[in-house]
Amino acid sequence: MKKSISSPAATSWTSRPQGTHAEYKQPLSTCISPDSLGTLSHDTTNDEDRWFFEALENLGLSLHHAQQEAVRHHEGPLLCLAGAGSGKTSVLTARAAYLMAVSSVPPESLWLVTFTNKAAAEIRDRLGRLPGITPSMARRVQARTFHSFALRLLQAYAPPFTLLAEERSRYGFMKRVLRELGLQEQFEAETALASLSALKSRAELPEDWQPKSPLERDLRRAMLRFEEQKQERNLKDFDDLLLDTIKLFEAKPELPVKLARRFQFVMVDEFQDSTPVQIALLEAIANAHRNLAVFGDDDQTIYTFNGANHRYITTFQERYPDAIRVTLDLNFRSTPAIVGLGNAIIKHNQDRLSKTMQAVKPAPASSAGTSQQPYYLRPNDAEEEAMLMIEKIQELKQQGHAYQDMAVLYRSQSVSRAMIEQLTMEGIPYEQLGREPLFYDHGLVKPVIDHLRLSLQPRDKEALGSAVACLYISREQGLRYIQQQEKERAKKYPLVHLASCQGIASFQQEAVKPRIRYIKKLASMKPALAVQDMRREFYDKFTQAASHADSSAYQDASAELLEELESSAKRFDTVEAFIKHIDELAARYDAQQATGSTNARGSRTEPYAPQQQARQETKAKSAPVDTPYHARDAEEADDKLTLMTIHRAKGLEFKTVFLLGITEELLPHRTSLRKKPPADKKAALTEDRSDRSAAMAVTDASRSQEEDVKLQLVEEERRLLYVGVTRAKNQLYISSPVVVHGDKQEISRFIKEAWQQ
């Protein structure tokens, strides 16, 4: 029975979501005129600090009353609840300057905690330009990330060690471990490392983890071996730094006392992203004097997969009953319509600190190509979504908007597949923020493509490795044996050599010829049916990809990637046509990457996968790909559209934002909508750790633990959309495709709720 939906497809951008009733009005925020901010400015009757705020104004930084209240706060705990676009960083740096310039606090007594080295450098730079602060004073302030701070401590007080600082080295290290254990086909190195990082962020070690499935037991085995090999080589990575600092404090209790005497004032930026181990480190030092000021927004907690917990900020005043709370609720970034939509979305979260943002920025004057409110699209599927979105992007470009002022945001990589394909094929310059492969090069997708390649070219050497691995034979061992046998006697189907390979189990030998017959059959199938059939026959079992009531979030994410592959394959009638498309796409993609383009943060983009490197090495053997991208002059080549996940977009802003895939089961993601939460998600959200206070428990006693987990999962998805919406300064375009992986879906409930005011 086909699913019926209340909002049908529509191919034009509209000022209200499809299917919303005419009586529902567009969400808007209160708009504060910039000219009226003078009435909210500082109290000039305070002679002691009048000079400081007047000097700030001369520098172009005029603080309103709430901002100044946070700046003036001296001793005791402070919660500065700073909404999106509220000038949080300006307030934090101004408070640090105030403490030094007005309150005569020595620079060495300040510890400013940031979550990136870039933010720390920016704060030091800003400090040096504020009233009463010299560059020397700014340099003496400890503005550091948790990890940088911990590294300094360990280097000073712990036995010598070598830091595994390069992520590439860490990645290679885990890759070798997976190969050693024969798990390289089950897990990507990035996946294993991300899981290990999440575990340690909760102050846990692999030996503490109790896996609940064979897949998780294999993952734990890889983690344990990774840790063993680090210890054998006296290596630490960044995840170890915080845990080992806590251990150092336990071994040397006089050390945190000494640090508390030095760092009399502690300020934490982006506090909502704090993890249990970071909180433990922070409290070990700051609780002695309680001069702890935290800045953040619980509505922007979107990193629970990394161990963050929004309840550290929502329960701050329970942990510190004497804390002063200052709310920064003026948004200087976005138009009233964008701020209003954000408010209307996030207010439906139950577990949050109440606040309603007000826009300071007026709506832009109506003109060609300039929207005064968010626009909505209801395309039929991802392909149409990408086509219509690119049309709108090109229209804006022709009207004078720069690509670099636009960003396309999405929840997960699979959602961006069609968009990246069409941008690449049309030669539109874009930059992906983040180390993501081309969709068809993804470790879970490529083996399926390789089997299709072998159905057409059974002697394809690069594709053979995937077929070997899917027979549960070591890739290296199998390919080495095939290569040896081919030298003696070449076969049309080289895979057949494995049927007589000594050193592998008999069941593996017996599976070879049936698998070859199966691969032959794939060539005559429609590609989408071939992908489905491979998954059913052997591939889902091999990868443990699954999407059912008991599957883990990792298994579900794997299944989602393969479903997106099926959706892509449906466009083609033959396997040959599908493979030809993938190869042409890869050639164009590599040609664009080879230009050495820079990403949104200014670092050079490097090839993600060995497949891309291999393609580039063989490029000379084929004709060059001529794309419109290569015809652009140098100046225009620097003007690129930005693509990234919403998680990566946090902290950034763009004049124009496009949101992809704002549809049920995409955002909110289907794992958050299950009747029974995934076991791995549940474990991460319900661990009863000793470092968590009673305030961190379920806040509503009427909810069961499982109901609380379900609520947390959905509310984080809503926060994710809120973060996406509030990245936009002037223009916002939201797309909700009807068909997702073959099933019809409604527009995201979060958008519908926002309009049902």
Side-chain angles (χ1 to χ4, degrees):
M1 181 176 175
K2 287 193 174 181
K3 187 176 182 179
S4 62
I5 54 173
S6 60
S7 46
T11 58
S12 58
W13 294 95
T14 59
S15 58
R16 62 173 54 242
Q18 280 292 115
T20 54
H21 295 297
E23 63 267 23
Y24 293 158
K25 294 183 179 178
Q26 176 187 339
L28 290 170
S29 86
T30 302
C31 185
I32 305 294
S33 167
D35 296 333
S36 71
L37 285 180
T39 63
L40 303 173
S41 64
H42 63 277
D43 180 5
T44 55
T45 61
N46 188 339
D47 292 332
E48 182 184 355
D49 62 11
R50 180 186 300 176
W51 70 270
F52 180 81
F53 290 103
E54 288 179 349
L56 283 180
E57 286 184 2
N58 291 336
L59 292 172
L61 183 58
S62 182
L63 303 182
H64 59 73
H65 177 75
Q67 289 176 321
Q68 288 166 60
E69 185 182 355
V71 169
R72 281 189 169 120
H73 180 82
H74 188 57
E75 294 185 334
L78 167 71
L79 169 60
C80 184
L81 192 62
S86 63
K88 170 175 62 65
T89 304
S90 296
V91 173
L92 187 150
T93 51
R95 179 172 186 263
Y98 187 96
L99 285 169
M100 290 184 284
V102 179
S103 302
S104 301
V105 174
E108 293 83 1
S109 295
L110 300 183
W111 177 26
L112 276 60
V113 185
T114 67
F115 273 78
T116 66
N117 290 322
K118 180 183 177 183
E122 181 185 347
I123 284 175
R124 281 192 292 267
D125 180 62
R126 286 196 191 191
L127 268 177
R129 292 184 275 116
L130 292 183
I133 307 301
T134 65
S136 172
M137 292 170 69
R139 285 193 297 271
R140 284 150 55 199
V141 172
Q142 288 291 318
R144 294 184 178 278
T145 65
F146 279 111
H147 293 89
S148 174
F149 186 80
L151 177 60
R152 283 292 184 96
L153 289 177
L154 291 172
Q155 288 173 333
Y157 295 99
F161 63 91
T162 300
L163 181 64
L164 196 60
E166 288 290 329
E167 188 61 24
R168 181 181 297 182
S169 301
R170 189 167 172 258
Y171 168 82
F173 204 96
M174 178 59 85
K175 236 183 156 180
R176 289 192 294 274
V177 166
L178 292 173
R179 277 201 303 270
E180 175 192 322
L181 299 176
L183 297 175
Q184 70 271 30
E185 305 302 332
Q186 280 92 323
F187 302 105
E188 298 254 355
E190 294 95 335
T191 302
L193 289 171
S195 300
L196 181 57
S197 295
L199 200 64
K200 289 186 178 180
S201 73
R202 302 196 298 270
E204 297 179 64
L205 294 171
E207 49 264 37
D208 302 323
W209 184 31
Q210 299 299 319
K212 296 178 173 61
S213 69
L215 185 74
E216 289 183 346
R217 284 192 285 275
D218 282 341
L219 182 57
R220 181 176 182 268
R221 201 154 54 92
M223 291 178 180
L224 288 169
R225 185 64 184 134
F226 180 77
E227 293 298 304
E228 287 171 4
Q229 293 202 1
K230 280 197 309 176
Q231 289 173 13
E232 290 168 4
R233 293 163 175 79
N234 196 29
L235 297 173
K236 294 185 191 297
D237 59 21
F238 282 105
D239 292 334
D240 297 319
L241 298 179
L242 302 186
L243 279 174
D244 288 355
T245 300
I246 298 300
K247 291 177 185 176
L248 180 65
F249 287 175
E250 292 170 353
K252 298 184 176 184
E254 72 280 3
L255 182 55
V257 175
K258 178 182 177 181
L259 292 168
R261 282 198 300 267
R262 175 181 172 181
F263 298 112
Q264 287 289 313
F265 292 88
V266 179
M267 288 184 273
V268 185
D269 194 15
E270 303 289 359
F271 184 69
Q272 75 281 344
D273 295 331
S274 299
T275 67
V277 68
Q278 290 167 348
I279 292 293
L281 174 59
L282 191 66
E283 292 182 345
I285 297 171
N287 277 3
H289 48 65
R290 298 172 67 79
N291 294 331
L292 173 62
V294 300
F295 297 73
D297 182 9
D298 58 307
D299 291 335
Q300 297 186 66
T301 308
I302 58 173
Y303 297 129
T304 59
F305 61 87
N306 276 341
N309 191 315
H310 70 288
R311 286 178 179 159
Y312 283 123
I313 191 168
T314 60
T315 64
F316 185 81
Q317 288 177 285
E318 295 175 44
R319 296 162 75 87
Y320 298 91
D322 55 333
I324 301 298
R325 172 173 158 183
V326 177
T327 301
L328 307 184
D329 59 3
L330 298 184
N331 182 311
F332 295 87
R333 174 188 297 156
S334 308
T335 65
I338 293 171
V339 174
L341 179 60
N343 286 338
I345 288 169
I346 202 61
K347 78 173 192 178
H348 290 277
N349 270 8
Q350 299 175 38
D351 195 1
R352 66 183 290 258
L353 297 174
S354 179
K355 66 180 176 300
T356 302
M357 299 302 293
Q358 303 173 79
V360 176
K361 180 177 181 176
S366 180
S367 61
T370 302
S371 308
Q372 294 191 30
Q373 65 277 309
Y375 274 75
Y376 303 86
L377 183 69
R378 186 68 164 144
N380 184 61
D381 56 20
E383 309 302 329
E384 186 172 76
E385 177 181 52
M387 180 188 74
L388 294 173
M389 198 168 275
I390 289 172
E391 283 181 6
K392 175 57 69 174
I393 289 168
Q394 292 296 73
E395 178 186 322
L396 293 174
K397 175 67 173 172
Q398 289 167 7
Q399 291 165 354
H401 298 254
Y403 285 133
Q404 63 191 5
D405 291 331
M406 301 182 237
V408 179
L409 310 181
Y410 38 87
R411 191 197 182 283
S412 55
Q413 183 196 2
S414 62
V415 176
S416 67
R417 190 269 313 160
M419 187 73 181
I420 288 172
E421 282 191 29
Q422 293 194 33
L423 287 171
T424 301
M425 297 304 284
E426 293 189 27
I428 296 172
Y430 68 90
E431 197 69 58
Q432 276 183 282
L433 185 61
R435 198 167 175 259
E436 295 180 3
L438 189 63
F439 178 79
Y440 302 103
D441 283 340
H442 191 283
L444 281 166
V445 174
K446 186 177 182 296
V448 179
I449 303 300
D450 283 346
H451 279 78
L452 296 179
R453 290 185 187 280
L454 289 171
S455 74
L456 302 174
Q457 298 289 340
R459 294 183 58 80
D460 186 322
K461 292 180 180 178
E462 287 191 21
L464 270 173
S466 294
V468 171
C470 288
L471 287 163
Y472 300 94
I473 299 170
S474 162
R475 182 188 294 259
E476 289 80 6
Q477 178 188 357
L479 288 177
R480 188 164 53 247
Y481 183 80
I482 290 172
Q483 188 177 17
Q484 290 169 353
Q485 295 301 307
E486 281 289 290
K487 290 178 180 177
E488 296 178 12
R489 186 178 180 185
K491 298 280 189 179
K492 181 178 180 182
Y493 294 91
L495 199 62
V496 75
H497 291 301
L498 294 178
S500 58
C501 177
Q502 301 300 313
I504 66 173
S506 58
F507 80 89
Q508 293 170 316
Q509 293 176 335
E510 292 165 4
V512 172
K513 290 183 179 178
R515 183 61 54 83
I516 292 172
R517 289 194 293 271
Y518 181 80
I519 291 172
K520 289 180 184 178
K521 185 178 71 171
L522 295 174
S524 61
M525 298 173 69
K526 286 187 177 295
L529 292 175
V531 173
Q532 291 172 4
D533 203 62
M534 273 189 277
R535 292 187 62 191
R536 185 169 52 250
E537 284 290 319
F538 67 91
Y539 197 65
D540 277 4
K541 181 181 178 183
F542 175 71
T543 61
Q544 299 190 46
S547 182
H548 52 68
D550 295 320
S551 58
S552 68
Y554 172 77
Q555 288 175 304
D556 197 84
S558 300
E560 185 178 32
L561 276 169
L562 297 174
E563 288 165 11
E564 184 60 34
L565 177 60
E566 290 178 28
S567 297
S568 175
K570 284 179 181 176
R571 297 173 292 161
F572 302 91
D573 291 327
T574 66
V575 169
E576 186 176 11
F578 187 34
I579 295 298
K580 182 179 178 182
H581 165 76
I582 292 171
D583 289 343
E584 183 181 357
L585 174 70
R588 290 176 180 267
Y589 179 83
D590 290 349
Q592 292 190 14
Q593 296 297 305
T595 62
S597 55
T598 57
N599 66 24
R601 291 186 179 169
S603 61
R604 271 187 110 64
T605 308
E606 297 180 353
Y608 174 92
Q611 292 81 18
Q612 182 177 329
Q613 186 177 349
R615 288 197 299 263
Q616 289 174 338
E617 288 171 353
T618 58
K619 192 178 292 181
K621 298 177 183 178
S622 58
V625 178
D626 185 20
T627 72
Y629 183 78
H630 290 134
R632 302 178 187 276
D633 60 32
E635 185 177 350
E636 284 198 344
D638 288 333
D639 184 23
K640 298 179 179 67
L641 186 69
T642 300
L643 279 76
M644 69 183 96
T645 63
I646 298 173
H647 286 101
R648 289 189 178 276
K650 188 169 168 293
L652 303 178
E653 60 182 39
F654 301 90
K655 289 181 180 178
T656 302
V657 167
F658 292 84
L659 293 177
L660 277 175
I662 311 304
T663 298
E664 287 290 286
E665 300 211 358
L666 291 180
L667 187 60
H669 194 266
R670 62 192 187 190
T671 53
S672 69
L673 302 177
R674 287 196 206 156
K675 292 181 180 179
K676 181 181 177 183
D680 49 350
K681 291 280 189 181
K682 185 175 179 180
L685 293 171
T686 59
E687 286 291 341
D688 184 20
R689 295 287 149 201
S690 58
D691 65 350
R692 299 194 186 183
S693 70
M696 296 295 290
V698 178
T699 54
D700 185 345
S702 67
R703 291 200 303 265
S704 70
Q705 190 179 73
E706 187 158 295
E707 287 172 333
D708 184 64
V709 171
K710 288 166 67 175
L711 177 72
Q712 288 190 64
L713 290 174
V714 172
E715 293 202 342
E716 178 159 13
E717 294 292 302
R718 192 179 280 112
R719 292 194 294 268
L720 198 56
L721 180 57
Y722 174 76
V723 168
V725 165
T726 55
R727 298 312 91 197
K729 296 170 70 175
N730 298 337
Q731 300 165 274
L732 177 63
Y733 296 88
I734 299 174
S735 175
S736 306
V738 173
V739 178
V740 177
H741 302 148
D743 294 327
K744 290 184 177 181
Q745 300 292 350
E746 292 284 1
I747 292 172
S748 171
R749 65 188 64 190
F750 304 147
I751 295 295
K752 287 188 169 186
E753 290 167 350
W755 275 79
Q756 293 171 1
Q757 303 297 310

